[in-house]
mmCIF file of all heavy atoms in Angstrom:
data_model
loop_
_atom_site.group_PDB
_atom_site.id
_atom_site.type_symbol
_atom_site.label_atom_id
_atom_site.label_comp_id
_atom_site.label_asym_id
_atom_site.label_seq_id
_atom_site.Cartn_x
_atom_site.Cartn_y
_atom_site.Cartn_z
ATOM 1 N N ALA A 43 5.296 1.419 -0.570
ATOM 2 C CA ALA A 43 3.854 1.571 -0.357
ATOM 3 C C ALA A 43 3.458 2.876 0.323
ATOM 4 O O ALA A 43 2.331 3.013 0.765
ATOM 5 C CB ALA A 43 3.324 0.391 0.454
ATOM 6 N N ASN A 44 4.359 3.840 0.398
ATOM 7 C CA ASN A 44 3.988 5.143 0.939
ATOM 8 C C ASN A 44 4.702 6.233 0.151
ATOM 9 O O ASN A 44 5.773 6.006 -0.410
ATOM 10 C CB ASN A 44 4.290 5.249 2.439
ATOM 11 C CG ASN A 44 5.762 5.141 2.762
ATOM 12 O OD1 ASN A 44 6.463 4.275 2.250
ATOM 13 N ND2 ASN A 44 6.251 6.012 3.626
ATOM 14 N N ALA A 45 4.068 7.393 0.093
ATOM 15 C CA ALA A 45 4.651 8.525 -0.614
ATOM 16 C C ALA A 45 5.714 9.163 0.266
ATOM 17 O O ALA A 45 5.601 9.197 1.488
ATOM 18 C CB ALA A 45 3.572 9.548 -0.967
ATOM 19 N N CYS A 46 6.745 9.667 -0.370
ATOM 20 C CA CYS A 46 7.817 10.389 0.328
ATOM 21 C C CYS A 46 7.485 11.865 0.223
ATOM 22 O O CYS A 46 7.492 12.438 -0.861
ATOM 23 C CB CYS A 46 9.154 10.090 -0.329
ATOM 24 S SG CYS A 46 10.553 10.889 0.445
ATOM 25 N N HIS A 47 7.146 12.475 1.338
ATOM 26 C CA HIS A 47 6.701 13.863 1.306
ATOM 27 C C HIS A 47 7.846 14.856 1.370
ATOM 28 O O HIS A 47 7.645 16.034 1.106
ATOM 29 C CB HIS A 47 5.706 14.125 2.437
ATOM 30 C CG HIS A 47 4.468 13.289 2.290
ATOM 31 N ND1 HIS A 47 3.638 13.370 1.199
ATOM 32 C CD2 HIS A 47 3.940 12.335 3.077
ATOM 33 C CE1 HIS A 47 2.645 12.514 1.331
ATOM 34 N NE2 HIS A 47 2.806 11.867 2.462
ATOM 35 N N SER A 48 9.031 14.423 1.719
ATOM 36 C CA SER A 48 10.188 15.315 1.736
ATOM 37 C C SER A 48 11.442 14.473 1.864
ATOM 38 O O SER A 48 11.387 13.276 2.140
ATOM 39 C CB SER A 48 10.101 16.296 2.910
ATOM 40 O OG SER A 48 10.322 15.613 4.127
ATOM 41 N N SER A 49 12.582 15.118 1.692
ATOM 42 C CA SER A 49 13.847 14.399 1.843
ATOM 43 C C SER A 49 14.088 14.016 3.301
ATOM 44 O O SER A 49 14.993 13.256 3.607
ATOM 45 C CB SER A 49 14.998 15.252 1.320
ATOM 46 O OG SER A 49 15.057 16.460 2.045
ATOM 47 N N LEU A 50 13.251 14.532 4.191
ATOM 48 C CA LEU A 50 13.363 14.204 5.608
ATOM 49 C C LEU A 50 12.500 13.010 6.013
ATOM 50 O O LEU A 50 12.424 12.681 7.191
ATOM 51 C CB LEU A 50 12.977 15.427 6.451
ATOM 52 C CG LEU A 50 13.785 16.694 6.190
ATOM 53 C CD1 LEU A 50 13.219 17.856 6.985
ATOM 54 C CD2 LEU A 50 15.250 16.479 6.502
ATOM 55 N N GLU A 51 11.834 12.388 5.034
ATOM 56 C CA GLU A 51 10.993 11.223 5.330
ATOM 57 C C GLU A 51 11.854 10.171 6.016
ATOM 58 O O GLU A 51 12.923 9.828 5.539
ATOM 59 C CB GLU A 51 10.402 10.655 4.039
ATOM 60 C CG GLU A 51 9.404 9.557 4.231
ATOM 61 C CD GLU A 51 8.045 10.070 4.677
ATOM 62 O OE1 GLU A 51 7.682 11.182 4.303
ATOM 63 O OE2 GLU A 51 7.372 9.341 5.403
ATOM 64 N N THR A 52 11.411 9.694 7.154
ATOM 65 C CA THR A 52 12.253 8.808 7.939
ATOM 66 C C THR A 52 11.803 7.346 7.894
ATOM 67 O O THR A 52 12.474 6.496 8.446
ATOM 68 C CB THR A 52 12.284 9.250 9.416
ATOM 69 O OG1 THR A 52 10.955 9.236 9.915
ATOM 70 C CG2 THR A 52 12.890 10.629 9.545
ATOM 71 N N ARG A 53 10.684 7.056 7.271
ATOM 72 C CA ARG A 53 10.218 5.671 7.240
ATOM 73 C C ARG A 53 9.666 5.326 5.860
ATOM 74 O O ARG A 53 8.818 6.008 5.324
ATOM 75 C CB ARG A 53 9.150 5.440 8.288
ATOM 76 C CG ARG A 53 8.610 4.005 8.246
ATOM 77 C CD ARG A 53 7.815 3.677 9.430
ATOM 78 N NE ARG A 53 8.749 3.456 10.529
ATOM 79 C CZ ARG A 53 8.400 3.052 11.722
ATOM 80 N NH1 ARG A 53 7.142 2.857 12.007
ATOM 81 N NH2 ARG A 53 9.291 2.847 12.650
ATOM 82 N N MET A 54 10.167 4.223 5.328
ATOM 83 C CA MET A 54 9.686 3.698 4.058
ATOM 84 C C MET A 54 8.935 2.403 4.376
ATOM 85 O O MET A 54 9.380 1.604 5.192
ATOM 86 C CB MET A 54 10.857 3.409 3.126
ATOM 87 C CG MET A 54 10.443 2.878 1.774
ATOM 88 S SD MET A 54 11.861 2.581 0.711
ATOM 89 C CE MET A 54 12.564 1.153 1.494
ATOM 90 N N THR A 55 7.791 2.206 3.730
ATOM 91 C CA THR A 55 6.956 1.038 3.989
ATOM 92 C C THR A 55 6.783 0.224 2.715
ATOM 93 O O THR A 55 6.635 0.776 1.631
ATOM 94 C CB THR A 55 5.578 1.487 4.510
ATOM 95 O OG1 THR A 55 5.762 2.277 5.669
ATOM 96 C CG2 THR A 55 4.698 0.310 4.840
ATOM 97 N N MET A 56 6.781 -1.080 2.877
ATOM 98 C CA MET A 56 6.471 -2.005 1.792
ATOM 99 C C MET A 56 5.438 -2.986 2.326
ATOM 100 O O MET A 56 5.565 -3.471 3.446
ATOM 101 C CB MET A 56 7.717 -2.753 1.325
ATOM 102 C CG MET A 56 8.777 -1.877 0.738
ATOM 103 S SD MET A 56 10.249 -2.850 0.381
ATOM 104 C CE MET A 56 11.212 -1.655 -0.508
ATOM 105 N N VAL A 57 4.410 -3.260 1.536
ATOM 106 C CA VAL A 57 3.396 -4.242 1.896
ATOM 107 C C VAL A 57 3.535 -5.378 0.886
ATOM 108 O O VAL A 57 3.340 -5.180 -0.313
ATOM 109 C CB VAL A 57 1.978 -3.638 1.878
ATOM 110 C CG1 VAL A 57 0.935 -4.684 2.212
ATOM 111 C CG2 VAL A 57 1.893 -2.463 2.853
ATOM 112 N N ILE A 58 3.880 -6.561 1.384
ATOM 113 C CA ILE A 58 4.298 -7.657 0.520
ATOM 114 C C ILE A 58 3.385 -8.862 0.706
ATOM 115 O O ILE A 58 3.162 -9.322 1.826
ATOM 116 C CB ILE A 58 5.758 -8.055 0.842
ATOM 117 C CG1 ILE A 58 6.671 -6.843 0.625
ATOM 118 C CG2 ILE A 58 6.198 -9.253 0.012
ATOM 119 C CD1 ILE A 58 8.043 -7.010 1.227
ATOM 120 N N LYS A 59 2.875 -9.371 -0.397
ATOM 121 C CA LYS A 59 2.068 -10.599 -0.363
ATOM 122 C C LYS A 59 3.010 -11.795 -0.424
ATOM 123 O O LYS A 59 3.857 -11.892 -1.302
ATOM 124 C CB LYS A 59 1.095 -10.637 -1.536
ATOM 125 C CG LYS A 59 0.280 -11.922 -1.565
ATOM 126 C CD LYS A 59 -1.044 -11.716 -2.218
ATOM 127 C CE LYS A 59 -1.870 -12.957 -2.270
ATOM 128 N NZ LYS A 59 -2.155 -13.573 -0.999
ATOM 129 N N ALA A 60 2.847 -12.687 0.528
ATOM 130 C CA ALA A 60 3.703 -13.869 0.588
ATOM 131 C C ALA A 60 3.253 -14.893 -0.439
ATOM 132 O O ALA A 60 2.090 -15.302 -0.460
ATOM 133 C CB ALA A 60 3.675 -14.469 1.985
ATOM 134 N N HIS A 61 4.159 -15.286 -1.302
ATOM 135 C CA HIS A 61 3.905 -16.349 -2.279
ATOM 136 C C HIS A 61 4.777 -17.548 -1.891
ATOM 137 O O HIS A 61 4.375 -18.373 -1.104
ATOM 138 C CB HIS A 61 4.204 -15.874 -3.696
ATOM 139 C CG HIS A 61 3.228 -14.843 -4.178
ATOM 140 N ND1 HIS A 61 1.945 -15.152 -4.558
ATOM 141 C CD2 HIS A 61 3.340 -13.504 -4.330
ATOM 142 C CE1 HIS A 61 1.311 -14.047 -4.930
ATOM 143 N NE2 HIS A 61 2.140 -13.034 -4.797
ATOM 144 N N SER A 62 5.959 -17.606 -2.440
ATOM 145 C CA SER A 62 6.897 -18.673 -2.092
ATOM 146 C C SER A 62 8.281 -18.050 -1.987
ATOM 147 O O SER A 62 8.454 -16.860 -2.231
ATOM 148 C CB SER A 62 6.878 -19.778 -3.158
ATOM 149 O OG SER A 62 7.274 -19.240 -4.405
ATOM 150 N N GLY A 63 9.255 -18.820 -1.616
ATOM 151 C CA GLY A 63 10.623 -18.329 -1.545
ATOM 152 C C GLY A 63 10.806 -17.239 -0.501
ATOM 153 O O GLY A 63 10.397 -17.391 0.648
ATOM 154 N N PHE A 64 11.425 -16.142 -0.927
ATOM 155 C CA PHE A 64 11.774 -15.067 -0.004
ATOM 156 C C PHE A 64 10.557 -14.472 0.693
ATOM 157 O O PHE A 64 10.570 -14.261 1.910
ATOM 158 C CB PHE A 64 12.534 -13.958 -0.749
ATOM 159 C CG PHE A 64 12.872 -12.782 0.118
ATOM 160 C CD1 PHE A 64 13.899 -12.862 1.047
ATOM 161 C CD2 PHE A 64 12.160 -11.602 0.002
ATOM 162 C CE1 PHE A 64 14.215 -11.770 1.857
ATOM 163 C CE2 PHE A 64 12.470 -10.516 0.803
ATOM 164 C CZ PHE A 64 13.500 -10.597 1.733
ATOM 165 N N SER A 65 9.490 -14.176 -0.039
ATOM 166 C CA SER A 65 8.319 -13.548 0.586
ATOM 167 C C SER A 65 7.653 -14.480 1.599
ATOM 168 O O SER A 65 7.166 -14.041 2.641
ATOM 169 C CB SER A 65 7.312 -13.074 -0.468
ATOM 170 O OG SER A 65 6.824 -14.149 -1.230
ATOM 171 N N ARG A 66 7.634 -15.779 1.348
ATOM 172 C CA ARG A 66 7.080 -16.737 2.311
ATOM 173 C C ARG A 66 7.984 -16.805 3.547
ATOM 174 O O ARG A 66 7.516 -16.854 4.669
ATOM 175 C CB ARG A 66 6.952 -18.119 1.651
ATOM 176 C CG ARG A 66 6.396 -19.214 2.518
ATOM 177 C CD ARG A 66 5.010 -18.983 3.070
ATOM 178 N NE ARG A 66 4.034 -18.731 2.035
ATOM 179 C CZ ARG A 66 2.763 -18.416 2.259
ATOM 180 N NH1 ARG A 66 2.309 -18.331 3.494
ATOM 181 N NH2 ARG A 66 1.941 -18.165 1.270
ATOM 182 N N ARG A 67 9.270 -16.780 3.339
ATOM 183 C CA ARG A 67 10.223 -16.792 4.459
ATOM 184 C C ARG A 67 10.073 -15.524 5.296
ATOM 185 O O ARG A 67 10.159 -15.558 6.527
ATOM 186 C CB ARG A 67 11.641 -16.912 3.896
ATOM 187 C CG ARG A 67 12.730 -16.999 4.888
ATOM 188 C CD ARG A 67 13.070 -18.462 5.174
ATOM 189 N NE ARG A 67 14.066 -18.552 6.200
ATOM 190 C CZ ARG A 67 15.311 -18.959 5.988
ATOM 191 N NH1 ARG A 67 15.689 -19.320 4.782
ATOM 192 N NH2 ARG A 67 16.151 -19.016 6.979
ATOM 193 N N LEU A 68 9.824 -14.416 4.629
ATOM 194 C CA LEU A 68 9.597 -13.138 5.313
ATOM 195 C C LEU A 68 8.352 -13.217 6.192
ATOM 196 O O LEU A 68 8.358 -12.776 7.344
ATOM 197 C CB LEU A 68 9.452 -12.038 4.257
ATOM 198 C CG LEU A 68 9.502 -10.604 4.684
ATOM 199 C CD1 LEU A 68 10.810 -10.269 5.369
ATOM 200 C CD2 LEU A 68 9.328 -9.717 3.457
ATOM 201 N N LEU A 69 7.283 -13.796 5.668
ATOM 202 C CA LEU A 69 6.051 -13.965 6.447
ATOM 203 C C LEU A 69 6.292 -14.859 7.666
ATOM 204 O O LEU A 69 5.851 -14.537 8.774
ATOM 205 C CB LEU A 69 4.945 -14.552 5.572
ATOM 206 C CG LEU A 69 3.626 -14.842 6.293
ATOM 207 C CD1 LEU A 69 2.970 -13.553 6.763
ATOM 208 C CD2 LEU A 69 2.684 -15.616 5.385
ATOM 209 N N LYS A 70 6.984 -15.956 7.479
ATOM 210 C CA LYS A 70 7.264 -16.856 8.599
ATOM 211 C C LYS A 70 8.084 -16.150 9.676
ATOM 212 O O LYS A 70 7.837 -16.326 10.869
ATOM 213 C CB LYS A 70 7.992 -18.110 8.113
ATOM 214 C CG LYS A 70 7.089 -19.067 7.373
ATOM 215 C CD LYS A 70 7.848 -20.290 6.911
ATOM 216 C CE LYS A 70 6.939 -21.202 6.118
ATOM 217 N NZ LYS A 70 7.655 -22.371 5.593
#
Side-chain angles (χ1 to χ4, degrees):
N44 63 314
C46 181
H47 298 300
S48 71
S49 60
L50 303 175
E51 187 77 31
T52 59
R53 178 167 284 185
M54 181 179 72
T55 303
M56 297 174 172
V57 178
I58 301 166
K59 178 152 180 58
H61 291 285
S62 61
F64 177 75
S65 62
R66 180 59 56 184
R67 183 94 184 249
L68 193 59
L69 177 66
K70 286 180 183 177

